[in-house]
Amino acid sequence: GIRSTEGRMACALFWENKGFPRKHRRALRRTWVDVEGDTVKCVFKRTGLGEYAASVFLDLNQNGKLDTNAIGSPSEPWGVSHNSASKRSGPSLYKDAKFDYRGGPVTIPIELVY
């Protein structure tokens, strides 16, 4: 559901709640993907078995961070695994976005929130 071919998609894989979903620098794995259509594919290699949550955002102005408005809400498209929505003001909860990785290729679709 990407509506723009501008910018780059930031993808992050978290193994704990610390920093999830906005602080990609605290993620276990991170990658950037150029946007060339209405979908992108983020690939994380050398990932061990276990519990993870994924977070993405479309960096429209390519400044390397998720921009927010005056009240702290994202002003760029973003999303998390399981498309979990926040149950309170603030970011989605890790426990709602987590999934078990048991090995092999896995596809986790994420819808962007605009």
Side-chain angles (χ1 to χ4, degrees):
I2 299 172
R3 299 179 191 163
S4 172
T5 56
E6 295 178 24
R8 298 181 76 201
M9 187 67 69
C11 309
L13 191 65
F14 291 82
W15 59 275
E16 60 182 10
N17 192 31
K18 191 183 283 186
F20 179 81
R22 295 182 184 182
K23 298 190 188 296
H24 280 203
R25 70 181 183 279
R26 292 189 171 188
L28 175 68
R29 299 274 187 267
R30 297 179 293 173
T31 189
W32 290 88
V33 180
D34 291 327
V35 176
E36 296 177 358
D38 62 353
T39 62
V40 298
K41 183 178 184 178
C42 303
V43 178
F44 300 103
K45 296 182 179 181
R46 296 183 307 276
T47 302
L49 305 180
E51 187 177 273
Y52 298 96
S55 170
V56 300
F57 70 88
L58 183 55
D59 189 10
L60 294 171
N61 59 4
Q62 298 188 39
N63 67 352
K65 64 179 186 169
L66 176 62
D67 295 324
T68 58
N69 62 22
I71 61 170
S73 296
S75 58
E76 294 179 303
W78 64 278
V80 297
S81 45
H82 292 303
N83 300 314
S84 63
S86 178
K87 294 181 181 176
R88 59 179 175 22
S89 294
S92 299
L93 302 175
Y94 178 83
K95 68 178 184 165
D96 294 334
K98 68 183 178 181
F99 59 90
D100 285 324
Y101 176 64
R102 304 273 185 225
V106 174
T107 299
I108 305 290
I110 298 176
E111 294 285 327
L112 291 179
V113 176
Y114 280 83

